[in-house]
Amino acid sequence: MEWAVLALLVLAAAAFIAPALRESGREGPGPQEAARRAREERRRLLEQLRSIDADFAAGRVSGEQRLERRRALGPRLLATYRNPGAGASAPEGEP
């Protein structure tokens, strides 16, 4: 009977420990995935810059608004070049 109780305790402990052990092996995206995300983020930010310039050329925004919008995108764009994984996960409104 003691063996059954001991086996149940071992199973209960394993049930609590196993999920933590499975998660500890995961490190997140590898360097290739981070580089792919950075390229995609750069492509998206450069497209936004082209859109801002097109709006200015069409007269939809003033020169001051164009400059303000371009400056807002600058830090995020630079981050994608300096640290390939950094800019890819930044929220939309934050640099």
Side-chain angles (χ1 to χ4, degrees), residues 2-93:
E2 295 89 20
W3 291 102
V5 172
L6 183 59
L8 285 174
L9 288 174
V10 168
L11 287 174
F16 286 107
I17 295 172
L21 290 176
R22 270 188 255 127
E23 291 296 321
S24 68
R26 296 184 185 163
E27 295 179 9
Q32 293 172 340
E33 178 63 18
R36 186 197 63 78
R37 288 180 184 179
R39 282 191 307 272
E40 180 60 30
E41 179 72 1
R42 278 192 295 268
R43 185 202 59 77
R44 191 179 63 75
L45 290 169
L46 290 171
E47 181 58 38
Q48 287 180 359
L49 287 174
R50 284 190 284 276
S51 175
I52 291 167
D53 289 342
D55 286 345
F56 175 71
R60 291 188 286 264
V61 296
S62 69
E64 186 176 305
Q65 290 171 323
R66 174 183 172 258
L67 186 59
E68 182 180 310
R69 291 179 185 180
R70 288 179 63 91
R71 283 183 178 158
L73 293 178
R76 290 172 43 209
L77 186 58
L78 284 174
T80 64
Y81 282 100
R82 289 183 182 149
N83 187 0
S89 60
E92 181 66 28

